[in-house]
Amino acid sequence: MSLCLQSVLSASSWFGLSPTGDGTLPVFGLVSLQVMSLWGWLWLLYCLHVPGSVWGLDGGGEGACRLTAKPVSGSVYRAGDVVIGGLFPIHVEAPLPEQEFRSIKEDSTCTIFKQRAYRWLQTMIFAVEEINRDQALLPNLTLGFLAADTCRTEGITLGAALAMVSGKEASVVGTECGTTPEVPVIIGDAHSSASMVVAQTLGPFDLPMVSYFATCACLSDTWRYPSFFRTVPSDAFQARGMAKLLRQLGWVWVGLVSEDDDYGKFGVQLLLQELQGSGVCVAYSEVLPKLPSKRKIRHIADTIRGSTARVVVAFVGFTGHAEGLMEEVVRQNITDKQWIASEAWVTYSTIAAPTNLPSFAGTIGFALKKADIPGLGPFLTRLHPDGDYQKSDPFLRDLWEEMFVCSLGVDLSVTLSSRRLCTGSEVIREGESQYADVSQLRASYNVYKAVYAIAYAIQDMMACRPGDGVFNGGQCPDIRKLQPSQIVHYLRGVNFSTPVGESFHFDMKGDPPASYDFINWHVTPEGTAEFVQVGHFLSSEGSDDQFHIDMDKVVWGGGSGDEVPVSVCSADCPPGTRHAVQKGRPVCCFDCLSCAEGEISNTTGSDDCIRCPERFWSNPDLTACIPQLVDFLSYSDTMGVILSVISVSGATLTAGALATFLYHRHTALVKANNSELSFLLLLSLKICFLCALVFIGQPNPWTCMLRHTLFGISFVFCISCLLSRTVVVLVAFRATLPGENLMRYFSPTQQRMGISLCTLIQVLICVLWLALAPPRPAERRGREGRGPRVILECEVGSVVGFSLVLGYIGLLASLCLLLAFLARKLPDNFNEAKFITFSMLIFCAVWISFIPAYVSSPGKYTVAVEIFAILASSFGLLFCLFAPKCYIILLRPERNTKKHIMSK
């Protein structure tokens, strides 16, 4: 490696982008991304354009430049007309960086080999060889590759990328030294943070990157990453699908676990944005630390175990931190959680080991679209440490020793280790290891598509006709000296079908259409995990999402079996209640409070009760609005029936008395009581009894006006008759002076005129009342029992008119009572004045007690009190005035003689 590149790599360590033992950024590494990217591309520009000692010219003559060091990470190289770069996290733990800047870094070795990532590298090689065999795709052109191990560390990833684009060969023709990068396009990286660093560094030079596993939505920013493409969907679509899944399954109380990198941070941020306003609340959000910390991992596991949230969404990658958390969850025997996996680990067989299944069986998550790549299985199993494979592939030894748990070669480390020596007879068999497992080709398929996207872009370049090109006045690209910007242009327009039949293209942001499979972890009878597809999610910008999950196929986690787990902070409130959010807690945590009367909550989970509309009220369960009861005294009420019967009975008795008097009108008793006045009095009493019926029934304008006018006129007519009769009796028995003939002033004609005059005054009062402010139907709100009622009644209209009607009746009654009292000492056998006195006493007593009872009675009882007063006073008049007479007429006819009446 040149001194220039060595400076860049050393600077990357100094800026915090070097490995920290766990393959991630140190404490302030993320803050340094922008600074490191600027540093990297400035130095690269300097290296590409400044000749001389900066490239370490040595012994090759003035026309040659030579690299003076080897790259930090291992690499696999094959020459070709166009060499494609590849960045793969074959190892995930990097060596400590050089911090002193005093010497060139010697070869260092990364540790913790990952079979899955090595399969990705071999898939790239397989795709290159398959394309080279297809003469119809790229005729007369051979693809090469240069793939490097990134150790899942930003600093090493950037160093490997810079080494690729600046030339890795030991000598390069001097005239072309650094002017055209050996690798014009890079496939990678798998890690979002590393992809951001490399894309920002190479972006100003239009060096294209096609990532197969970097899903951070931030990489869709074409302003910051203009030459970045990827064959894996953005996490923006995955977050949208996760939010739909949580809402559809009713999981409103969830926990979040993420890694402390761009993948985890942006993934959780996007998910939270999608969940806004959806009713889903986050119980906790824990972040796996960058630096190994058993205490922190134990704390996260304790949080998961102690939370009431049964659903855990894990936005983590395939790192040792995630595996450490899974191990701690298993150690604590946390088996009551439903795990939602991101695409990075849902099909990761290492985490789905049988020892983890008691806690993670039933996990459901989003997986990248799967494909069967013909021929890839035999290609993967062809490897063997004998022959040329081990010489050209520095990773084969790690694969072999990892897969067969043995050691190749004999050295001190082998002697000290407990591993046996490999026999050389080991054979890689398809499906027996994570490396050779081709049943879940998802990220591998993305690598495959990335190679083909580049190939089809080159094919479009080769199809360019001179004069029709898009560069420098119609020029076409020089395939032998491809410029990165040319590849960027043609990558944007690729649209092809892969050998497995899938159509593929990039959108304006360099992203592919989003396509996910829902994967569910089933447990086989042998106790191993089986990744079962139970649905799919398709999404793209500007189109409707396609979301489907087959609930019958899903085996749920947390011990739920076939039942969908319930994950809520507070159980749904029953109908008739509302939510009251608990202070200081998310909106999903609430108490249930009953709705007030007149309000309803007809659905579970209502935040507010709904006020019933006018003339409606809540039912006893507070779940529906029902019409309020309309309260009035009707003929169907028991009270209405009783009062109607009493009224009719009174009218019947009055008619009977009238018939008796008519039949015995020639008898002495009838003649002595002024038969004409008796008939008028009985007729008015009958009207008084019958007017009570007008008060029963639903009020309407005519009945309201008829009620009080008929009542007032009939009672005035009745009392006028009594008053006339009282005056006649009093005058007849008080005229004791000789020659006084006062009775000539009280002839029947004058009596009729007096009665008519008294009644006419009441008629005039009623006419004025009806003309100026008549009684009218009205509604009044009242309560009876649990809820209110609409009370239908007749408003008097004018209180003055109503008072005058009652006052006039009271005036006549008082006058009649006074006169009757003065005539109380008439002869014993003629007790008419006494009877009138008793009847008027009853009348006045009833109507005096009526006033407080009328005012204090609610609803229809107000009308009932008025009817009772009418009937009581009418019966008092009827019985006091006519019962004794009918008794004598019917039962004691011997006393119905003039002699008996005139006797003292």
Side-chain angles (χ1 to χ4, degrees), residues 613-779:
E614 189 73 16
R615 299 197 67 172
F616 283 81
W617 194 248
S618 53
N619 64 352
D621 297 330
L622 303 178
T623 57
C625 291
I626 57 177
Q628 291 182 358
L629 294 177
V630 178
D631 193 18
F632 62 90
L633 186 62
S634 67
Y635 289 103
S636 60
D637 290 340
T638 302
M639 186 182 302
V641 172
I642 293 174
L643 293 176
S644 300
V645 171
I646 295 174
S647 176
V648 173
S649 299
T652 304
L653 289 176
T654 305
L658 179 61
T660 301
F661 270 59
L662 282 173
Y663 186 76
H664 298 90
R665 62 184 178 278
H666 300 296
T667 61
L669 184 60
V670 175
K671 290 181 178 179
N673 281 277
N674 194 338
S675 59
E676 184 178 355
L677 284 179
S678 297
F679 295 150
L680 291 176
L681 183 59
L682 286 171
L683 179 62
S684 64
L685 281 176
K686 187 173 183 180
I687 297 174
C688 289
F689 278 114
L690 294 178
C691 79
L693 298 178
V694 183
F695 287 81
I696 303 174
Q698 182 173 350
N700 59 62
W702 287 106
T703 56
C704 285
M705 289 189 291
L706 189 60
R707 282 181 182 183
H708 294 97
T709 54
L710 184 61
F711 152 71
I713 294 172
S714 62
F715 267 89
V716 166
F717 183 45
C718 178
I719 296 173
S720 298
C721 294
L722 279 178
L723 181 61
S724 176
R725 189 167 187 171
T726 304
V727 171
V728 170
V729 172
L730 183 61
V731 171
F733 286 89
R734 290 293 184 180
T736 58
L737 295 177
E740 291 184 353
N741 188 13
L742 295 178
M743 287 303 296
R744 68 179 184 272
Y745 300 109
F746 295 97
S747 64
T749 303
Q750 281 80 14
Q751 293 177 26
R752 287 193 292 270
M753 290 178 61
I755 295 172
S756 301
L757 179 62
C758 293
T759 305
L760 181 60
I761 295 174
Q762 183 75 311
V763 171
L764 292 176
I765 294 174
C766 291
V767 169
L768 291 174
W769 182 16
L770 295 179
L772 298 177
R776 60 184 181 275
E779 295 181 359

Side-chain angles (χ1 to χ4, degrees), residues 259-518:
E259 285 191 288
D260 191 13
D261 58 10
D262 293 295
Y263 172 73
K265 291 179 179 178
F266 279 95
V268 168
Q269 179 182 347
L270 289 169
L271 178 59
L272 292 177
Q273 291 175 358
E274 292 291 338
L275 293 178
Q276 286 182 355
S278 66
V280 180
C281 301
V282 177
Y284 56 86
S285 183
E286 295 291 339
V287 180
L288 290 171
K290 282 183 174 295
L291 299 177
S293 174
K294 291 184 178 180
R295 183 182 63 83
K296 178 63 175 176
I297 289 179
R298 192 181 306 113
H299 166 74
I300 296 175
D302 291 340
T303 301
I304 295 174
R305 184 187 65 240
S307 174
T308 57
R310 293 192 60 190
V311 175
V312 183
V313 180
F315 247 109
V316 298
F318 51 94
T319 62
H321 311 302
E323 295 177 21
L325 175 62
M326 309 307 180
E327 292 172 359
E328 181 65 21
V329 169
V330 173
R331 189 189 69 80
Q332 295 192 18
N333 194 30
I334 303 174
T335 59
D336 61 338
K337 305 300 180 183
Q338 171 68 57
W339 289 82
I340 306 298
S342 62
E343 93 294 339
W345 67 277
V346 68
T347 56
Y348 192 26
S349 57
T350 300
I351 296 179
T355 54
N356 294 342
L357 290 182
S359 297
F360 293 93
T363 294
I364 189 170
F366 290 74
L368 304 175
K369 187 175 182 179
K370 183 179 71 172
D372 295 325
I373 304 176
L376 180 59
F379 182 83
L380 296 176
T381 59
R382 80 195 190 287
L383 298 180
H384 196 275
D386 294 340
D388 297 332
Y389 284 119
Q390 190 173 358
K391 297 178 182 179
S392 60
D393 190 343
F395 311 117
L396 182 56
R397 176 172 179 170
D398 292 335
L399 171 69
W400 209 265
E401 293 179 347
E402 171 80 16
M403 187 180 302
F404 297 109
V405 195
C406 63
S407 296
L408 286 172
V410 180
D411 53 27
L412 181 61
S413 62
V414 173
T415 304
L416 296 177
S417 69
S418 60
R419 287 187 175 184
R420 63 177 178 84
L421 289 175
C422 299
T423 63
S425 62
E426 297 88 0
V427 177
I428 301 176
R429 290 185 175 85
E430 190 173 323
E432 292 186 356
S433 63
Q434 188 180 28
Y435 163 74
D437 183 8
V438 293
S439 63
Q440 297 290 331
L441 297 178
R442 300 181 188 275
S444 300
Y445 182 51
N446 288 339
V447 175
Y448 186 76
K449 288 188 290 187
V451 177
Y452 266 91
I454 295 171
Y456 274 97
I458 297 175
Q459 184 190 55
D460 292 342
M461 293 182 188
M462 297 172 63
C464 177
R465 296 181 180 180
D468 295 335
V470 295
F471 306 106
N472 298 329
Q475 292 184 3
C476 292
D478 185 355
I479 300 301
R480 304 299 173 179
K481 295 182 180 180
L482 284 179
Q483 297 299 318
S485 60
Q486 298 171 342
I487 299 180
V488 170
H489 173 78
Y490 280 95
L491 275 175
R492 296 189 189 281
V494 293
N495 194 334
F496 62 94
S497 294
T498 64
V500 301
E502 179 191 358
S503 177
F504 183 85
H505 68 279
F506 296 110
D507 64 13
M508 296 299 295
K509 297 179 181 180
D511 295 331
S515 178
Y516 295 96
D517 294 333
F518 286 133

Side-chain angles (χ1 to χ4, degrees), residues 536-612:
H536 65 267
F537 175 65
L538 304 178
S539 180
S540 60
E541 293 293 344
S543 63
D544 295 334
D545 298 338
Q546 297 182 26
F547 185 98
H548 171 72
I549 182 169
D550 189 346
M551 304 293 286
D552 296 332
K553 290 185 178 180
V554 179
V555 174
W556 303 103
S560 301
D562 296 333
E563 296 293 330
V564 179
V566 177
S567 185
V568 295
C569 181
S570 300
D572 284 336
C573 292
T577 60
R578 65 176 179 86
H579 292 169
V581 179
Q582 298 173 359
K583 186 176 181 180
R585 304 198 67 188
V587 295
C588 297
C589 302
F590 49 81
D591 298 318
C592 297
L593 300 181
S594 178
C595 294
E597 291 185 353
E599 297 179 338
I600 63 167
S601 175
N602 55 3
T603 59
T604 59
S606 297
D607 293 329
D608 297 301
C609 296
I610 304 172
R611 172 66 61 178
C612 289

Side-chain angles (χ1 to χ4, degrees), residues 223-253:
W223 186 84
R224 296 180 61 189
Y225 312 104
S227 58
F228 182 82
F229 302 84
R230 53 183 164 189
T231 56
V232 61
S234 166
D235 279 335
F237 300 106
Q238 182 176 205
R240 186 187 304 173
M242 281 187 175
K244 284 181 177 290
L245 179 66
L246 295 176
R247 289 194 297 266
Q248 179 164 319
L249 297 178
W251 291 334
V252 297
W253 187 235

